[in-house]
Amino acid sequence: MGNRWKAVVFDLDGVIVDTAKYHYLAWKRLAEELDIPFTVADNERLKGVSRMASLEILLSLGGKRAQAEEKKRLAERKNAWYVEMIDKLTREELLPGAERLLRQLRRDGVKIALGSASKNAARILERLEIGEYFDARIDGTRVGKAKPDPEVFLLAAKSVGVDPVDCLVFEDAPAGVEAAKRAGMHVVGIGSEENLPLADWILESLDEIQDEILYDGL
Ligand code: BG6
Ligand code: MG
């Protein structure tokens, strides 16, 4: 039995930690202020997408436009509410199986990288005390192009010195799964097949990881 992947790249929000709900709550609050109808289903389109790109989608849902300065102000407003919530994050909010899988990969000698769109990633990793598992951390402060652009995953692979074809990605967002496929990687979708049709495997959570996905020659 050997490792099937030389590196594993994790999305953060909604894969390792249950922060997707806080993003939703903060966008919902902004939507209400702006009088824009915003549902849980609409929120799926924002998952994995950068802060500014998410704001654009939100504004388009309400048929609204804004000048650059105003957009900056709105994005900062949303982020302030979001940061207020994540500053109270506890290790209880690590998603099922996340830390166990990180530990297992480390034991197996597989490189571990973060591939997140979030500019708050460093703060979250620190709060959860899991930063030391990662050999490379690529987040929203490092990339210019939002998922579904493959940039974040390509940079993650490069940072750990592994070819994309030898990388496995864990993602919960349609835009993130598309980004990983465009990077030429295999992807485990965390969620439902209906929502993530491009994923190579679907799991409800990392807790359900199977040896068939991680190892060769079983
Ligand atoms: C992604 C989330 O991980 O990060 C998105 O799925 C979020 O919902 C994006 O918009 C950017 O996050 P942040 O923390 O930089 O606003
Ligand atoms: Mg995510």
Side-chain angles (χ1 to χ4, degrees), residues 17 80 86 120 166 205:
V17 57
I86 60 168
N120 293 299
D166 293 317
S205 79

Side-chain angles (χ1 to χ4, degrees), residues 3 5-8 104-112 135:
N3 288 327
W5 315 103
K6 291 189 181 146
V8 170
Q104 181 177 339
L105 293 167
R106 171 121 293 190
R107 179 203 69 194
D108 292 346
V110 175
K111 294 277 182 211
I112 304 176
D135 298 293

Side-chain angles (χ1 to χ4, degrees), residues 11-17 19-20 23 47-49 115-117 147 170-173 176:
D11 173 48
L12 179 65
D13 297 313
V15 170
I16 291 180
V17 57
T19 38
H23 277 297
K47 283 190 182 169
V49 173
S116 167
K147 297 173 187 176
F170 287 93
E171 253 295 347
D172 70 317

Side-chain angles (χ1 to χ4, degrees), residues 150-159 162 164 182-185:
E151 186 185 17
V152 61
F153 293 125
L154 291 174
L155 195 54
K158 201 173 162 200
S159 302
V162 171
R182 281 167 63 182
M185 300 177 179

